[in-house]
Structures are given as structure tokens and as C-alpha cells.
Amino acid sequence: MDLVINKTSLNGMIDIPSDKSISHRSIMFGAIAHGTTTIKNFLRGDDCLSTLKAFQDLGVEIEDDGEVITVYGTGFSGLKQAKQAIDVGNSGTTIRLIMGILAGTSFSTELFGDHSIAKRPMNRVMLPINQMGAECTGHDGTEFPPITVKGTENLQPIQYQMPVASAQVKSAILFAALQAQGKSVIVEKEKTRDHTEDMIRQFGGEISVSEKEISITGPQKLVGQEVIVPGDISSAAFFLTAGLIVPDSQITLNNVGLNPTRTGIIDVIQQMGGTLTIQETGSEANKAGTLTVETSNLKGVEISGEIIPRLIDELPIIALLATQAEGTTIIRDAEELKVKETNRIDAVATELTKMGANIEPTDDGLIIHGKTPLYAAKVTSYGDHRIGMMLQIAALLVKDGTVELEKAEAISVSYPRFFEDLNNLY
């Protein structure tokens, strides 16, 4: 596909797509709760629709009238064995979190996905779930999908020190712990996004969090709720970056979720000297706000340590931002980028280098030397939605020639109307 969108400035207002993480979890919690859950502003991207379909396969009645999704919860015990293997598509969130839910069932379930999912490591979830008494096995004895989960109704609690900073792994264990007989304690390596903890409380569950230690006692019964999904800051990140680096730009983004475990990119923008204003609009339970950015002179920074889990999905677009900042930006402690939809460290370095960026991959991150002009090239998303969107934003800086993006269709995974929203800016 040719990237035909090439503007000299970007001005206007965008309603950012709904939060992907919360959309996934709203279906999951609605399914395992007792009673009815209604979900407004659900993200109808490919990944979240994979979660919706997975729970329909498990016997949960889910209606979608185009505005509101209604989930008729069965409780954990009401889930039924799927008639065939469950296809999670491209969604790592779906496969990893659902493993924790299936751990307490009385049946076996096979989970598989696309070629990208088939390469994603699952031991990080399989090992703790197996310690709790379920039996999770990978393809031909490996840790890779297809994964078979043989549940047990006698799930045991766990004391678990997380070896990686991963909200997906933590969430899978929490879903299993909700069904276990007794108190589980999870200690995080670094604090990661806490949507699962928040939604356990929202659905009437009990959970205790003290710094990096999480305690939860099962079994628990959850109750259906109304969920209003805020906009996704990970999707907003692409337009935040565009507004900062494309000349003569000012972009306002409405209803962006501002959960503190997700707002690392805002901290980085401010550290780099970006002009960003925030008008808070949400509630205490669902923090949200209107964000406005404008073209700024940026400076390089170091990004490492405990902030990394708060911006792990935004690092590809932050790398592009850094190519337009004066000085060097160093990203460290981001090994998790290697096991996303693709190896995002290598993908970012390879594709931006094609366009003229001065960027070096390292074992755990990137070193970006700015400020550099970008040039036309033939690039690929590798089938990774965030790489695809990052490269379209990069193409806006190209003055001569055409940037061609292969596998642009991957963007629909999280942002189906991305190109339409970009086109509507002037």
C-alpha cells in the first residue's frame, strides 16, 4: 500500500478509539460475573472481537446492537467446553488472560492464533498456572501455541514472584486466583498496568495492593456491572507524536484514558520539552481527559527502569519522536519489546533506518541520535499494528517521494479508522 497521506501540518480534533485493554477485560469480567454486564464504547477492533468470540465459544451469550454490548454472565462455573479449538487471532491479551480463566474449569480447551501468536512465549503464564494445579501444555512439548489448558475445579493458591514485568501474566494469575481455594500473593518485578485489579473491585471482588505486592483470596463471586470504556492512550500516542513533530500542528484528543499505570508517554513528552496540556474529564474510578499537543522543540532523554511498563506499547512511536529531538535518546530495560507481535526492537530500528534515522538496537532497547530528516522508502509493519501506525506518522515527515507500507491492514487490530482520522486533520 502507498502511504498517500502526506500533510504539511496537522490541525483538528479526534475522538480516540476505545481502550483496548479495558475492552478485552470488560468482556472477560462480564462473562465470569453473575448477572448482566453492559459495555459502552467497546473497541470493535480485531483483537477485542477475538475475545468476544472466544467467550461465545465458551457458551456465554453476548449481544451487540452496534452501540452497547450486553454480556449475560455465567460465573466461572457456567462456562462450557468449546465445540472446537478457540482462535485468538493476533491477540496476545486474549490467549494469555483466558488461560487463567480456563485454569479453574472442569474441561480441556485448545487455544491457537495466527503466525505471530504461534511465536509468542507462553511459559510465563503456563508455569504459574500449572503450579496452581491446572495442566497447560504447548505445541509438541514447547511453550508455543497451540496451547491446551486442562482445568481443575480444585485450583490451589500461589505465592508468586513475577520474573517479568507483564500485566498479561499478572492478570492471568489473578483470574486463576479468583477461583483458587485460599490466599494468593503476587509480587511484581515492576508495577504494571492495573486494569485487572481495578475491574475486580468494580465487579464486587476483593483485592489488596501494597506497592508491588498483590493479595487476593478465592474463590470469589463477581457481579455484572455497567462498563464505559475510555479512549486508549496507546492509540492516542500516535497523534500525540504527530502533533509534536509535524510542523505547524495542533491536535486535540478527546476522552483519553489517564490511568496512572498507562501514562508514561505523557511523562516522556514533558521531559522532552513537548507542549502538552491536559484537561481532566473522567471520574476517580475511570480517569480520562482531553489532551492537546502542538509542534515543539524536543530534546533527547533516557527512558529506563520503572517507567518502562507504563509505556511499553508506546515505545515504537516514542522512538520516532526521539528521531526528531535534539541529542541522544536511550531506551533501556525494554526486553519485553522482543516478544510482542513482532520483535519491536529490531523492527523499529530496521524500518526507521531505511528512512534515514540514526538508530541502534541493543539487547534491551534502542539508542536514537537526533535530530534527523526522514526520507522515502519501502517499509513494512511486519503485521504489527503499532509498527504500521508508527511508520505512517514517520511518513508525514518525508518531503520528497513516496513511502510504501507493506501489511498496512494490520493497523485494524487496534485502530480500524486510523487512516480516516489522519485524513480528517488539516
Side-chain angles (χ1 to χ4, degrees), residues 50-51 53-54 57 82-92 94-96 98-99 102 109-120 122 137-139 144-149:
S50 291
T51 291
K53 177 65 166 57
D57 290 348
K83 294 177 181 176
Q84 55 195 18
I86 292 175
D87 184 358
V88 304
N90 185 245
S91 179
T94 306
I95 193 169
R96 288 188 172 133
I98 208 170
M99 287 166 67
L102 293 170
T109 308
E110 183 178 322
L111 306 166
F112 73 99
D114 67 8
H115 68 282
S116 169
I117 286 293
K119 298 175 184 176
R120 297 184 72 171
M122 295 296 155
T137 53
H139 178 63
F144 300 102
I147 300 290
T148 299
V149 182

Side-chain angles (χ1 to χ4, degrees), residues 256-321:
V256 179
L258 296 177
N259 179 305
T261 63
R262 295 282 300 282
T263 53
I265 188 170
I266 290 177
D267 296 351
V268 167
I269 287 170
Q270 291 170 336
Q271 289 166 16
M272 295 179 87
T275 301
L276 166 67
T277 59
I278 304 170
Q279 180 184 353
E280 294 192 7
T281 57
S283 64
E284 187 62 30
N286 291 293
K287 296 181 186 297
T290 300
L291 310 184
T292 302
V293 288
E294 55 188 75
T295 309
S296 303
N297 294 317
L298 306 170
K299 63 178 187 295
V301 295
E302 180 169 331
I303 305 167
S304 61
E306 64 182 17
I307 197 174
I308 293 294
R310 296 177 54 224
L311 46 63
I312 190 72
D313 286 335
E314 291 74 70
L315 284 172
I317 194 65
I318 288 172
L320 173 62
L321 189 68

Side-chain angles (χ1 to χ4, degrees), residues 182-218:
K183 181 180 178 180
S184 294
V185 178
I186 304 165
V187 181
E188 293 198 80
K189 185 177 180 181
E190 296 288 354
K191 195 163 179 61
T192 60
R193 62 184 64 177
D194 60 2
H195 300 303
T196 302
E197 296 95 308
D198 283 349
M199 293 182 82
I200 287 172
R201 297 185 191 99
Q202 181 182 356
F203 279 75
E206 294 184 5
I207 184 169
S208 173
V209 181
S210 177
E211 299 296 329
K212 297 176 185 175
E213 185 174 294
I214 304 164
S215 301
I216 183 166
T217 300

Side-chain angles (χ1 to χ4, degrees), residues 272-413:
M272 295 179 87
T275 301
L276 166 67
T277 59
I278 304 170
Q279 180 184 353
E280 294 192 7
T281 57
S283 64
E284 187 62 30
N286 291 293
K287 296 181 186 297
T290 300
L291 310 184
T292 302
V293 288
E294 55 188 75
T295 309
S296 303
N297 294 317
L298 306 170
K299 63 178 187 295
V301 295
E302 180 169 331
I303 305 167
S304 61
E306 64 182 17
I307 197 174
I308 293 294
R310 296 177 54 224
L311 46 63
I312 190 72
D313 286 335
E314 291 74 70
L315 284 172
I317 194 65
I318 288 172
L320 173 62
L321 189 68
T323 69
Q324 303 308 302
E326 296 291 344
T328 299
T329 294
I330 300 172
I331 298 172
R332 293 195 178 102
D333 305 319
E335 301 94 335
E336 275 296 289
L337 287 178
K338 294 180 177 179
V339 293
K340 292 289 187 177
E341 281 81 340
T342 186
N343 181 331
R344 287 181 177 164
I345 290 175
D346 289 350
V348 167
T350 299
E351 300 311 302
L352 286 180
T353 296
K354 288 179 186 176
M355 297 181 70
N358 187 348
I359 181 168
E360 308 164 32
T362 66
D363 286 342
D364 66 346
L366 296 158
I367 300 170
I368 306 113
H369 305 282
K371 180 178 181 181
T372 55
L374 299 182
Y375 302 100
K378 185 175 183 177
V379 293
T380 179
S381 76
Y382 299 90
D384 185 325
H385 54 126
R386 300 199 196 281
I387 300 297
M389 286 184 278
M390 180 272 291
L391 290 169
Q392 164 61 93
I393 301 304
L396 297 171
L397 301 175
V398 172
K399 291 183 170 57
D400 297 307
T402 300
V403 176
E404 294 181 30
L405 174 61
E406 293 182 340
K407 301 185 178 178
E409 66 278 1
I411 289 169
S412 69
V413 159

Side-chain angles (χ1 to χ4, degrees), residues 7 11-12 419-426:
K7 297 170 177 276
N11 291 275
F419 292 106
E420 179 184 344
D421 281 351
L422 181 56
N423 245 331
N424 287 337
L425 297 173
Y426 58 89

